[in-house]
Amino acid sequence: MKVESGGGDRVGSTGERLRIGVSACLLGREVRFDGQHKRDAFLVDDLSPFVDFVEVCPEVEVGMSIPRETLRLIAIGERGKVGSSTATATRLVATRSGEDWTDRMTGYAERSARLLARENLSGYVLKKDSPSCGLLRVKRYADTDTVHPATRDGQGLFAACLQRAFPHLPIEEEGRLRDARLRENFIERIFAYHRLRALWATRWTLRSLIAFHTIHKMALLAHDEPGYRRLGRLVALGKSLAREELRDRYEGGFMSALAKLATPGHHANVMTHMFGHFSDKLDATARREILMVVEDHRRGLIPLIVPLTLIRHYVRLLDVSYLGDQTYLDPHPKELMLRNRV
Ligand code: SF4
């Protein structure tokens, strides 16, 4: 495990740089089975000025060489029978030699998760398809040979352990981050998680939690309106709950609400709602202009950045204090230009 500073001096809104765990090969480290890397341009060129990466190559750290033979996931059936259709367990096995790395990798992943807990991570990006790092739809074979077809229902052993250890941490694969909407969502979540962790690190009170919830209202509404209302009810019950319980339930509800993708329709509803807070201060022409661009976004004709810039302009010009603090207006660094593409 190694920390790689992005080199820039930019920080999240809390004043601290974000720390993001990452599969080391995605940063250009030549640690793959064939001695190659899988450098990811978005992570290395675009995101690195805003974060410090904590890079991990589970296969190298568990003691495998570079280069090395390939590994694969093998489905083990009910009675320990390889390839059973009622597979209940997965083993990590070297393809040619059949060497079984399952227990070593699982032990390493558990130790690594304990170390990572001290790293104050705000997110994690994993290499797709890897039997160690892959998060979703990793190939699982019925046997070590290539005759049996694979099913895409597996999860890398390290990734599975990571997800169990950090159930609320935003975790994504680099492949999915090529989708503009998933990328924008992931980056929004890592900054939101960072702010939430910063709140928990203070001597937080119910009052400061309510303030946190209030400035995230529009963001939550864009992602998950019922989730926003559930969190509101939870906060209202806050005095009757143990502090730990309130913190855990709020964090779980907050992060799962933000994980729901905000559609153009949701964004248009939220911007119309915001517009309602200052529309009476505008003349008819300005009102028409705003509503038109919001509707154009709803119809998919223009990206989110267009109506949002207009809304933000009026919120600041008219000094609409209730809206000025909303994270929805500036959820992540504008240099990433994520809202130009959704
Ligand atoms: S996918 Fe994971 S295990 Fe494989 S080379 Fe990259 S960091 Fe190492």
Side-chain angles (χ1 to χ4, degrees):
M1 187 180 308
K2 188 175 150 205
V3 178
E4 171 76 6
S5 172
D9 57 1
R10 290 155 173 158
V11 295
S13 60
T14 61
E16 297 280 327
R17 284 172 65 82
L18 276 73
R19 294 167 72 78
I20 304 295
V22 63
S23 296
C25 57
L26 296 176
L27 295 186
R29 309 291 176 238
E30 294 172 337
V31 289
R32 280 169 58 82
F33 70 95
D34 55 2
Q36 301 290 308
H37 61 76
K38 281 283 178 182
R39 184 182 187 278
D40 185 273
F42 170 68
L43 297 177
V44 178
D45 300 333
D46 299 342
L47 192 58
S48 65
F50 304 97
V51 306
D52 288 333
F53 287 118
V54 177
E55 58 180 86
V56 180
C57 176
E59 290 178 12
V60 169
E61 293 190 22
V62 82
M64 297 181 199
S65 60
I66 311 170
R68 54 186 173 276
E69 64 176 305
T70 54
L71 297 162
R72 59 174 47 183
L73 297 177
I74 304 289
I76 303 293
E78 250 178 351
R79 298 185 193 86
K81 186 175 166 233
V82 171
S84 162
S85 59
T86 51
T88 55
T90 299
R91 302 207 67 83
L92 179 67
V93 178
T95 308
R96 184 173 40 78
S97 65
E99 186 175 358
D100 190 325
W101 286 87
T102 313
D103 295 343
R104 280 169 285 180
M105 180 58 83
T106 305
Y108 163 76
E110 284 166 1
R111 286 193 303 280
S112 179
R114 285 193 289 277
L115 292 175
L116 286 169
R118 297 187 212 142
E119 292 288 342
N120 201 21
L121 298 181
S122 296
Y124 210 110
V125 183
L126 290 161
K127 170 76 189 70
K128 75 180 177 102
D129 294 336
S130 158
S132 302
C133 290
L135 186 64
L136 300 161
R137 301 185 72 248
V138 179
K139 281 184 184 169
R140 272 201 326 166
Y141 291 82
D143 207 337
T144 48
D145 64 47
T146 50
V147 176
H148 295 81
T151 50
R152 280 204 166 265
D153 63 353
Q155 190 174 34
L157 294 198
F158 178 78
C161 181
L162 194 68
Q163 206 167 43
R164 275 196 304 276
F166 305 102
H168 305 150
L169 183 72
I171 305 177
E172 262 299 0
E173 293 184 331
E174 99 292 355
R176 281 167 51 89
L177 293 182
R178 284 182 212 129
D179 178 292
R181 208 167 285 284
L182 295 177
R183 176 184 291 192
E184 198 272 338
N185 177 266
F186 177 70
I187 301 299
E188 180 179 2
R189 282 188 290 141
I190 64 175
F191 277 88
Y193 193 60
H194 183 67
R195 287 191 294 274
L196 185 57
R197 303 274 300 176
L199 171 70
W200 301 146
T202 65
R203 291 164 66 87
W204 64 277
T205 60
L206 189 53
R207 196 183 165 133
S208 56
L209 178 58
I210 291 169
F212 179 92
H213 185 61
T214 303
I215 65 169
H216 290 85
K217 175 177 177 177
M218 300 302 159
L220 288 165
L221 285 176
H223 287 277
D224 181 10
E225 184 170 348
Y228 166 73
R229 308 226 174 272
R230 274 195 299 277
L231 283 169
R233 288 194 291 276
L234 176 67
V235 171
L237 277 178
K239 271 194 183 137
S240 63
L241 297 174
R243 206 174 152 75
E244 297 286 292
E245 183 185 353
L246 175 60
R247 189 189 67 189
D248 288 351
R249 285 176 59 186
Y250 189 88
E251 183 173 305
F254 180 74
M255 294 313 297
S256 62
L258 291 183
K260 297 205 165 76
L261 287 185
T263 64
H266 292 153
H267 282 300
N269 291 346
V270 168
M271 289 186 285
T272 305
H273 178 84
M274 295 175 88
F275 167 72
H277 282 276
F278 56 84
S279 60
D280 58 343
K281 299 191 175 72
L282 301 176
D283 62 28
T285 309
R287 281 204 294 270
R288 245 195 330 272
E289 177 72 11
I290 293 174
L291 289 175
M292 192 179 71
V293 291
V294 167
E295 283 312 299
D296 281 352
H297 176 67
R298 190 195 298 275
R299 295 171 59 208
L301 302 178
I302 52 175
L304 179 58
I305 191 72
V306 180
L308 202 59
T309 302
L310 200 55
I311 297 275
R312 190 170 46 218
H313 165 75
Y314 282 111
V315 165
R316 295 199 174 141
L317 183 75
L318 302 170
D319 197 17
V320 188
S321 55
Y322 175 66
L323 298 177
D325 291 340
Q326 288 297 311
T327 61
Y328 182 68
L329 293 173
D330 288 295
H332 35 57
K334 57 176 171 279
E335 291 86 345
L336 293 172
M337 297 194 293
L338 297 169
R339 291 189 156 182
N340 301 42
R341 301 183 186 98
V342 297

Coordinates of all heavy atoms in Angstrom, one line a residue, residues 234-278:
L234 N -35.5 10.6 10.1 CA -34.4 10.0 11.0 C -33.8 11.2 11.8 O -33.7 11.0 13.1 CB -33.3 9.4 10.1 CG -32.1 8.8 10.9 CD1 -32.5 7.7 11.8 CD2 -31.0 8.4 9.9
V235 N -33.5 12.3 11.2 CA -32.9 13.4 11.9 C -33.9 13.9 12.9 O -33.5 14.3 14.1 CB -32.5 14.5 10.9 CG1 -32.1 15.8 11.6 CG2 -31.3 14.0 10.0
A236 N -35.2 14.0 12.6 CA -36.2 14.5 13.5 C -36.3 13.6 14.8 O -36.6 14.0 15.8 CB -37.6 14.5 12.8
L237 N -35.9 12.3 14.6 CA -36.0 11.3 15.7 C -34.6 11.4 16.5 O -34.5 10.7 17.5 CB -36.1 9.9 15.2 CG -37.4 9.3 14.8 CD1 -37.2 7.9 14.3 CD2 -38.3 9.3 16.1
G238 N -33.7 12.2 16.0 CA -32.3 12.2 16.5 C -32.2 12.1 18.0 O -31.3 11.4 18.5
K239 N -33.0 12.9 18.7 CA -32.8 13.0 20.1 C -33.1 11.7 20.8 O -32.5 11.5 21.9 CB -33.7 14.1 20.7 CG -33.1 15.5 20.7 CD -33.9 16.4 21.5 CE -33.4 17.8 21.4 NZ -34.3 18.8 21.3
S240 N -33.9 10.9 20.2 CA -34.3 9.7 20.9 C -33.3 8.5 20.5 O -33.5 7.4 21.0 CB -35.7 9.3 20.5 OG -35.8 9.0 19.2
L241 N -32.4 8.7 19.7 CA -31.5 7.7 19.2 C -30.1 7.8 19.9 O -29.7 8.9 20.1 CB -31.3 7.7 17.7 CG -32.6 7.5 16.9 CD1 -32.3 7.7 15.4 CD2 -33.1 6.1 17.1
A242 N -29.5 6.7 20.1 CA -28.1 6.7 20.5 C -27.2 7.3 19.4 O -27.5 7.2 18.2 CB -27.6 5.3 20.8
R243 N -26.2 8.1 19.8 CA -25.4 8.8 18.9 C -24.8 7.9 17.7 O -24.9 8.3 16.6 CB -24.3 9.4 19.7 CG -23.6 10.6 19.2 CD -22.7 11.1 20.3 NE -21.6 11.8 19.7 CZ -21.7 13.0 19.2 NH1 -22.8 13.7 19.3 NH2 -20.6 13.6 18.7
E244 N -24.3 6.8 18.1 CA -23.7 5.9 17.2 C -24.8 5.4 16.2 O -24.5 5.3 15.0 CB -23.2 4.6 17.9 CG -22.0 4.9 18.8 CD -20.8 5.2 18.1 OE1 -20.2 4.3 17.5 OE2 -20.3 6.3 18.1
E245 N -25.9 5.1 16.7 CA -27.0 4.6 15.8 C -27.4 5.7 14.8 O -27.6 5.4 13.6 CB -28.2 4.1 16.6 CG -29.3 3.5 15.7 CD -30.6 3.1 16.5 OE1 -30.6 3.2 17.7 OE2 -31.5 2.8 15.8
L246 N -27.6 6.9 15.3 CA -28.0 8.0 14.4 C -26.9 8.2 13.4 O -27.2 8.3 12.2 CB -28.1 9.3 15.3 CG -28.4 10.5 14.5 CD1 -29.7 10.4 13.7 CD2 -28.5 11.8 15.4
R247 N -25.6 8.1 13.8 CA -24.6 8.3 12.8 C -24.6 7.3 11.7 O -24.5 7.5 10.5 CB -23.2 8.3 13.5 CG -22.0 8.8 12.6 CD -20.7 8.6 13.2 NE -20.5 7.1 13.4 CZ -19.5 6.6 14.1 NH1 -18.6 7.4 14.7 NH2 -19.4 5.3 14.2
D248 N -24.7 6.0 12.1 CA -24.6 4.9 11.2 C -25.8 4.9 10.2 O -25.7 4.7 9.0 CB -24.5 3.5 11.9 CG -23.2 3.4 12.5 OD1 -22.3 4.2 12.3 OD2 -23.0 2.4 13.3
R249 N -27.0 5.1 10.8 CA -28.2 5.1 10.0 C -28.2 6.3 9.0 O -28.6 6.2 7.9 CB -29.4 5.1 10.8 CG -29.7 3.7 11.5 CD -30.9 3.7 12.4 NE -32.1 4.0 11.8 CZ -33.3 4.2 12.4 NH1 -33.3 4.0 13.7 NH2 -34.4 4.5 11.8
Y250 N -27.7 7.4 9.5 CA -27.7 8.6 8.6 C -26.7 8.4 7.5 O -27.0 8.6 6.3 CB -27.4 9.9 9.3 CG -27.6 11.1 8.4 CD1 -28.8 11.7 8.3 CD2 -26.5 11.6 7.6 CE1 -29.0 12.8 7.4 CE2 -26.7 12.6 6.7 CZ -28.0 13.2 6.6 OH -28.2 14.2 5.7
E251 N -25.5 7.9 7.8 CA -24.5 7.7 6.8 C -25.0 6.6 5.7 O -24.8 6.9 4.5 CB -23.2 7.2 7.4 CG -22.1 7.0 6.4 CD -20.8 6.7 7.1 OE1 -20.3 7.4 8.0 OE2 -20.2 5.6 6.7
G252 N -25.6 5.5 6.2 CA -26.1 4.5 5.3 C -27.2 5.1 4.3 O -27.1 4.9 3.1
G253 N -28.1 5.8 4.9 CA -29.2 6.4 4.1 C -28.7 7.5 3.2 O -29.2 7.5 2.0
F254 N -27.8 8.3 3.6 CA -27.3 9.4 2.8 C -26.5 8.8 1.6 O -26.8 9.3 0.5 CB -26.4 10.2 3.7 CG -25.7 11.4 3.0 CD1 -26.5 12.5 2.7 CD2 -24.4 11.4 2.7 CE1 -25.9 13.6 2.1 CE2 -23.8 12.5 2.1 CZ -24.5 13.6 1.8
M255 N -25.6 7.9 1.9 CA -24.8 7.4 0.8 C -25.7 6.5 -0.2 O -25.4 6.6 -1.4 CB -23.6 6.5 1.3 CG -22.6 7.4 2.1 SD -22.1 8.9 1.3 CE -21.3 8.3 -0.2
S256 N -26.6 5.8 0.3 CA -27.4 5.0 -0.7 C -28.4 5.9 -1.5 O -28.6 5.7 -2.6 CB -28.2 3.8 0.0 OG -29.1 4.3 0.9
A257 N -28.8 7.0 -0.9 CA -29.6 8.0 -1.7 C -28.8 8.6 -2.8 O -29.3 8.6 -3.9 CB -30.2 9.1 -0.7
L258 N -27.6 9.0 -2.5 CA -26.8 9.6 -3.5 C -26.3 8.6 -4.6 O -26.0 9.0 -5.7 CB -25.5 10.3 -2.9 CG -25.8 11.5 -2.0 CD1 -24.4 12.1 -1.5 CD2 -26.6 12.6 -2.8
A259 N -26.3 7.3 -4.3 CA -25.9 6.3 -5.3 C -27.0 6.1 -6.3 O -26.7 5.6 -7.4 CB -25.6 5.0 -4.6
K260 N -28.2 6.6 -6.1 CA -29.2 6.5 -7.1 C -29.0 7.6 -8.2 O -28.8 8.7 -7.8 CB -30.6 6.7 -6.5 CG -31.0 5.6 -5.5 CD -32.5 5.5 -5.4 CE -32.9 4.2 -4.7 NZ -32.7 4.2 -3.2
L261 N -29.0 7.2 -9.4 CA -28.6 8.1 -10.5 C -29.7 9.2 -10.6 O -30.9 8.9 -10.7 CB -28.5 7.4 -11.8 CG -27.2 6.6 -11.9 CD1 -27.1 6.0 -13.3 CD2 -25.9 7.4 -11.6
A262 N -29.3 10.5 -10.7 CA -30.2 11.6 -10.9 C -30.4 11.7 -12.4 O -29.5 11.8 -13.2 CB -29.6 12.9 -10.4
T263 N -31.7 11.6 -12.8 CA -32.0 11.7 -14.3 C -32.2 13.2 -14.6 O -32.4 14.1 -13.8 CB -33.3 11.0 -14.5 OG1 -34.4 11.7 -13.8 CG2 -33.3 9.6 -14.1
P264 N -32.2 13.5 -16.0 CA -32.5 14.9 -16.4 C -33.8 15.4 -15.8 O -34.0 16.5 -15.4 CB -32.5 14.8 -17.9 CG -31.6 13.7 -18.2 CD -31.8 12.7 -17.1
G265 N -34.8 14.5 -15.7 CA -36.1 14.9 -15.2 C -36.0 15.3 -13.7 O -36.6 16.3 -13.3
H266 N -35.2 14.5 -12.9 CA -35.1 14.8 -11.5 C -34.4 16.2 -11.4 O -34.7 17.0 -10.6 CB -34.2 13.8 -10.8 CG -34.9 12.4 -10.7 ND1 -34.2 11.3 -10.6 CD2 -36.2 12.1 -10.7 CE1 -35.1 10.3 -10.5 NE2 -36.3 10.7 -10.6
H267 N -33.3 16.4 -12.2 CA -32.6 17.6 -12.1 C -33.5 18.8 -12.5 O -33.5 19.8 -11.8 CB -31.4 17.6 -13.1 CG -30.2 16.9 -12.6 ND1 -29.6 17.2 -11.4 CD2 -29.5 15.8 -13.1 CE1 -28.5 16.4 -11.2 NE2 -28.5 15.5 -12.2
A268 N -34.3 18.6 -13.5 CA -35.2 19.7 -13.9 C -36.2 20.0 -12.8 O -36.5 21.2 -12.5 CB -36.0 19.3 -15.2
N269 N -36.7 19.0 -12.1 CA -37.6 19.2 -11.0 C -37.0 20.0 -9.9 O -37.6 20.9 -9.3 CB -38.1 17.9 -10.4 CG -39.1 17.1 -11.4 OD1 -39.5 17.7 -12.4 ND2 -39.3 15.9 -11.2
V270 N -35.7 19.6 -9.6 CA -35.0 20.3 -8.5 C -34.7 21.8 -8.9 O -34.9 22.7 -8.1 CB -33.7 19.6 -8.2 CG1 -32.8 20.4 -7.3 CG2 -34.0 18.3 -7.5
M271 N -34.3 22.0 -10.1 CA -34.0 23.4 -10.6 C -35.3 24.2 -10.6 O -35.3 25.4 -10.3 CB -33.3 23.4 -11.9 CG -31.9 22.8 -11.8 SD -30.9 23.0 -13.3 CE -31.6 21.6 -14.2
T272 N -36.4 23.6 -11.0 CA -37.7 24.3 -11.0 C -38.1 24.7 -9.5 O -38.6 25.8 -9.3 CB -38.8 23.4 -11.6 OG1 -38.4 23.0 -12.9 CG2 -40.1 24.2 -11.7
H273 N -37.8 23.8 -8.6 CA -38.1 24.0 -7.2 C -37.2 25.2 -6.7 O -37.7 26.1 -6.0 CB -37.7 22.7 -6.4 CG -37.9 22.8 -5.0 ND1 -39.1 22.7 -4.3 CD2 -37.0 23.1 -4.0 CE1 -38.9 22.8 -3.0 NE2 -37.7 23.1 -2.8
M274 N -35.9 25.2 -7.1 CA -35.0 26.3 -6.7 C -35.5 27.6 -7.3 O -35.5 28.7 -6.6 CB -33.6 26.0 -7.1 CG -33.0 24.8 -6.4 SD -31.4 24.3 -7.0 CE -30.3 25.3 -6.0
F275 N -35.9 27.6 -8.5 CA -36.4 28.7 -9.3 C -37.5 29.4 -8.5 O -37.7 30.6 -8.4 CB -36.8 28.3 -10.7 CG -37.6 29.3 -11.4 CD1 -37.0 30.5 -11.9 CD2 -38.9 29.1 -11.7 CE1 -37.7 31.4 -12.7 CE2 -39.7 30.0 -12.4 CZ -39.1 31.2 -12.9
G276 N -38.4 28.5 -7.9 CA -39.5 29.0 -7.2 C -39.1 29.9 -6.0 O -39.9 30.7 -5.5
H277 N -37.9 29.8 -5.5 CA -37.5 30.6 -4.3 C -37.1 32.0 -4.7 O -36.9 32.8 -3.8 CB -36.2 29.9 -3.7 CG -36.6 28.7 -2.8 ND1 -37.0 28.8 -1.5 CD2 -36.6 27.4 -3.1 CE1 -37.3 27.6 -1.0 NE2 -37.1 26.8 -2.0
F278 N -36.9 32.3 -6.0 CA -36.6 33.6 -6.4 C -37.3 34.2 -7.6 O -37.0 35.3 -8.1 CB -35.0 33.8 -6.6 CG -34.4 32.8 -7.6 CD1 -34.5 33.2 -8.9 CD2 -33.9 31.6 -7.2 CE1 -33.9 32.3 -9.9 CE2 -33.3 30.8 -8.2 CZ -33.4 31.1 -9.5

